[in-house]
Amino acid sequence: MIIGLTGSIASGKSTVANFLKKRGYPIVDADEIARLVVEPGSPVLKEIESVFGADVIKEDGSMDRAKMGKLIFDDNRKREQLNTIIHPAIRKELIAQKEAQIAAGAETVILDIPLLFENNLHEYVEKILVVSVTPEVQKERLMSRNQFSEQEAESRIASQLPIEIKEQGADAVIDNNGELAETEQQVVDVLKKWQV
């Protein structure tokens, strides 16, 4: 079974992914893949440089994520340009890693994809597991984790699909507002129910 794991920023999706990893489930991490496809010298990074200019490349040849983030955050056209370059490469690598896990004998593979719904990747999975928190908890965690002001945190949260919409598209929702043990127990219950 291919399980899509998603959530919103600061919802605790990585915590759930780590728990699944400890239980022996192979994880294909879209964030890691997104970093991999823009490594120095990669064709994707060269294309980004030709579209956005040398300003977005650091001296060591890597992408300047902070500059790129500022460039695209409030500019939908530029964000769309970047996505058009990066997303096909991410999809290709995501599928390759999933297929490699299956070829290696994995019966269940977890695709950890933060923007599963936003990027229309739900067709690649059989079940969707959404990690959810209340907006208050999400904002508090994001401010604490990233040293964001309240306004910065709200702006980041608003840039993603609302969690309620993700919950509607889920096969199961993990409520991550409580203690870690409670979250882990919910994950165990879902895996039992799905018989994986």
mmCIF file with all atom_site columns, all heavy atoms in Angstrom, residues 6-17:
data_model
loop_
_atom_site.group_PDB
_atom_site.id
_atom_site.type_symbol
_atom_site.label_atom_id
_atom_site.label_alt_id
_atom_site.label_comp_id
_atom_site.label_asym_id
_atom_site.label_entity_id
_atom_site.label_seq_id
_atom_site.pdbx_PDB_ins_code
_atom_site.Cartn_x
_atom_site.Cartn_y
_atom_site.Cartn_z
_atom_site.occupancy
_atom_site.B_iso_or_equiv
_atom_site.pdbx_formal_charge
_atom_site.auth_seq_id
_atom_site.auth_comp_id
_atom_site.auth_asym_id
_atom_site.auth_atom_id
_atom_site.pdbx_PDB_model_num
ATOM 1  N N   . THR A 1 6  ? 0.552  13.740 4.918  1.00 0.00 ? 6  THR A N   1
ATOM 2  C CA  . THR A 1 6  ? 0.594  15.187 4.726  1.00 0.00 ? 6  THR A CA  1
ATOM 3  C C   . THR A 1 6  ? 0.034  15.900 5.948  1.00 0.00 ? 6  THR A C   1
ATOM 4  O O   . THR A 1 6  ? -0.421 15.273 6.899  1.00 0.00 ? 6  THR A O   1
ATOM 5  C CB  . THR A 1 6  ? -0.139 15.584 3.413  1.00 0.00 ? 6  THR A CB  1
ATOM 6  O OG1 . THR A 1 6  ? 0.196  16.923 3.085  1.00 0.00 ? 6  THR A OG1 1
ATOM 7  C CG2 . THR A 1 6  ? -1.646 15.438 3.529  1.00 0.00 ? 6  THR A CG2 1
ATOM 8  N N   . GLY A 1 7  ? 0.096  17.214 5.887  1.00 0.00 ? 7  GLY A N   1
ATOM 9  C CA  . GLY A 1 7  ? -0.398 18.051 6.970  1.00 0.00 ? 7  GLY A CA  1
ATOM 10 C C   . GLY A 1 7  ? -0.122 19.478 6.570  1.00 0.00 ? 7  GLY A C   1
ATOM 11 O O   . GLY A 1 7  ? 0.182  19.748 5.410  1.00 0.00 ? 7  GLY A O   1
ATOM 12 N N   . SER A 1 8  ? -0.219 20.381 7.497  1.00 0.00 ? 8  SER A N   1
ATOM 13 C CA  . SER A 1 8  ? 0.124  21.779 7.203  1.00 0.00 ? 8  SER A CA  1
ATOM 14 C C   . SER A 1 8  ? 1.392  22.117 7.962  1.00 0.00 ? 8  SER A C   1
ATOM 15 O O   . SER A 1 8  ? 1.843  21.352 8.813  1.00 0.00 ? 8  SER A O   1
ATOM 16 C CB  . SER A 1 8  ? -1.019 22.696 7.613  1.00 0.00 ? 8  SER A CB  1
ATOM 17 O OG  . SER A 1 8  ? -2.089 22.539 6.708  1.00 0.00 ? 8  SER A OG  1
ATOM 18 N N   . ILE A 1 9  ? 1.944  23.282 7.667  1.00 0.00 ? 9  ILE A N   1
ATOM 19 C CA  . ILE A 1 9  ? 3.164  23.729 8.333  1.00 0.00 ? 9  ILE A CA  1
ATOM 20 C C   . ILE A 1 9  ? 2.964  23.699 9.848  1.00 0.00 ? 9  ILE A C   1
ATOM 21 O O   . ILE A 1 9  ? 1.913  24.089 10.347 1.00 0.00 ? 9  ILE A O   1
ATOM 22 C CB  . ILE A 1 9  ? 3.571  25.133 7.815  1.00 0.00 ? 9  ILE A CB  1
ATOM 23 C CG1 . ILE A 1 9  ? 4.969  25.517 8.278  1.00 0.00 ? 9  ILE A CG1 1
ATOM 24 C CG2 . ILE A 1 9  ? 2.541  26.200 8.179  1.00 0.00 ? 9  ILE A CG2 1
ATOM 25 C CD1 . ILE A 1 9  ? 5.542  26.727 7.547  1.00 0.00 ? 9  ILE A CD1 1
ATOM 26 N N   . ALA A 1 10 ? 3.939  23.131 10.570 1.00 0.00 ? 10 ALA A N   1
ATOM 27 C CA  . ALA A 1 10 ? 3.936  23.040 12.038 1.00 0.00 ? 10 ALA A CA  1
ATOM 28 C C   . ALA A 1 10 ? 2.790  22.197 12.602 1.00 0.00 ? 10 ALA A C   1
ATOM 29 O O   . ALA A 1 10 ? 2.388  22.360 13.746 1.00 0.00 ? 10 ALA A O   1
ATOM 30 C CB  . ALA A 1 10 ? 3.928  24.437 12.665 1.00 0.00 ? 10 ALA A CB  1
ATOM 31 N N   . SER A 1 11 ? 2.303  21.234 11.801 1.00 0.00 ? 11 SER A N   1
ATOM 32 C CA  . SER A 1 11 ? 1.229  20.358 12.299 1.00 0.00 ? 11 SER A CA  1
ATOM 33 C C   . SER A 1 11 ? 1.790  19.117 12.999 1.00 0.00 ? 11 SER A C   1
ATOM 34 O O   . SER A 1 11 ? 1.073  18.425 13.716 1.00 0.00 ? 11 SER A O   1
ATOM 35 C CB  . SER A 1 11 ? 0.306  19.923 11.148 1.00 0.00 ? 11 SER A CB  1
ATOM 36 O OG  . SER A 1 11 ? 1.007  19.128 10.206 1.00 0.00 ? 11 SER A OG  1
ATOM 37 N N   . GLY A 1 12 ? 3.079  18.822 12.767 1.00 0.00 ? 12 GLY A N   1
ATOM 38 C CA  . GLY A 1 12 ? 3.688  17.643 13.381 1.00 0.00 ? 12 GLY A CA  1
ATOM 39 C C   . GLY A 1 12 ? 3.828  16.473 12.424 1.00 0.00 ? 12 GLY A C   1
ATOM 40 O O   . GLY A 1 12 ? 4.037  15.340 12.841 1.00 0.00 ? 12 GLY A O   1
ATOM 41 N N   . LYS A 1 13 ? 3.750  16.749 11.137 1.00 0.00 ? 13 LYS A N   1
ATOM 42 C CA  . LYS A 1 13 ? 3.871  15.693 10.127 1.00 0.00 ? 13 LYS A CA  1
ATOM 43 C C   . LYS A 1 13 ? 5.218  14.980 10.214 1.00 0.00 ? 13 LYS A C   1
ATOM 44 O O   . LYS A 1 13 ? 5.297  13.763 10.105 1.00 0.00 ? 13 LYS A O   1
ATOM 45 C CB  . LYS A 1 13 ? 3.661  16.306 8.739  1.00 0.00 ? 13 LYS A CB  1
ATOM 46 C CG  . LYS A 1 13 ? 3.715  15.331 7.611  1.00 0.00 ? 13 LYS A CG  1
ATOM 47 C CD  . LYS A 1 13 ? 3.745  16.010 6.274  1.00 0.00 ? 13 LYS A CD  1
ATOM 48 C CE  . LYS A 1 13 ? 4.892  16.963 6.126  1.00 0.00 ? 13 LYS A CE  1
ATOM 49 N NZ  . LYS A 1 13 ? 6.231  16.349 6.278  1.00 0.00 ? 13 LYS A NZ  1
ATOM 50 N N   . SER A 1 14 ? 6.290  15.744 10.440 1.00 0.00 ? 14 SER A N   1
ATOM 51 C CA  . SER A 1 14 ? 7.629  15.142 10.542 1.00 0.00 ? 14 SER A CA  1
ATOM 52 C C   . SER A 1 14 ? 7.733  14.222 11.748 1.00 0.00 ? 14 SER A C   1
ATOM 53 O O   . SER A 1 14 ? 8.404  13.189 11.695 1.00 0.00 ? 14 SER A O   1
ATOM 54 C CB  . SER A 1 14 ? 8.701  16.226 10.624 1.00 0.00 ? 14 SER A CB  1
ATOM 55 O OG  . SER A 1 14 ? 8.679  16.997 9.455  1.00 0.00 ? 14 SER A OG  1
ATOM 56 N N   . THR A 1 15 ? 7.059  14.587 12.825 1.00 0.00 ? 15 THR A N   1
ATOM 57 C CA  . THR A 1 15 ? 7.037  13.742 14.034 1.00 0.00 ? 15 THR A CA  1
ATOM 58 C C   . THR A 1 15 ? 6.393  12.400 13.711 1.00 0.00 ? 15 THR A C   1
ATOM 59 O O   . THR A 1 15 ? 6.900  11.344 14.088 1.00 0.00 ? 15 THR A O   1
ATOM 60 C CB  . THR A 1 15 ? 6.249  14.456 15.163 1.00 0.00 ? 15 THR A CB  1
ATOM 61 O OG1 . THR A 1 15 ? 6.875  15.713 15.408 1.00 0.00 ? 15 THR A OG1 1
ATOM 62 C CG2 . THR A 1 15 ? 6.210  13.651 16.435 1.00 0.00 ? 15 THR A CG2 1
ATOM 63 N N   . VAL A 1 16 ? 5.283  12.439 12.984 1.00 0.00 ? 16 VAL A N   1
ATOM 64 C CA  . VAL A 1 16 ? 4.588  11.209 12.589 1.00 0.00 ? 16 VAL A CA  1
ATOM 65 C C   . VAL A 1 16 ? 5.461  10.407 11.616 1.00 0.00 ? 16 VAL A C   1
ATOM 66 O O   . VAL A 1 16 ? 5.566  9.185  11.734 1.00 0.00 ? 16 VAL A O   1
ATOM 67 C CB  . VAL A 1 16 ? 3.193  11.519 11.999 1.00 0.00 ? 16 VAL A CB  1
ATOM 68 C CG1 . VAL A 1 16 ? 2.558  10.268 11.390 1.00 0.00 ? 16 VAL A CG1 1
ATOM 69 C CG2 . VAL A 1 16 ? 2.275  12.118 13.070 1.00 0.00 ? 16 VAL A CG2 1
ATOM 70 N N   . ALA A 1 17 ? 6.110  11.091 10.681 1.00 0.00 ? 17 ALA A N   1
ATOM 71 C CA  . ALA A 1 17 ? 7.003  10.408 9.717  1.00 0.00 ? 17 ALA A CA  1
ATOM 72 C C   . ALA A 1 17 ? 8.129  9.687  10.452 1.00 0.00 ? 17 ALA A C   1
ATOM 73 O O   . ALA A 1 17 ? 8.453  8.541  10.136 1.00 0.00 ? 17 ALA A O   1
ATOM 74 C CB  . ALA A 1 17 ? 7.571  11.408 8.718  1.00 0.00 ? 17 ALA A CB  1
#
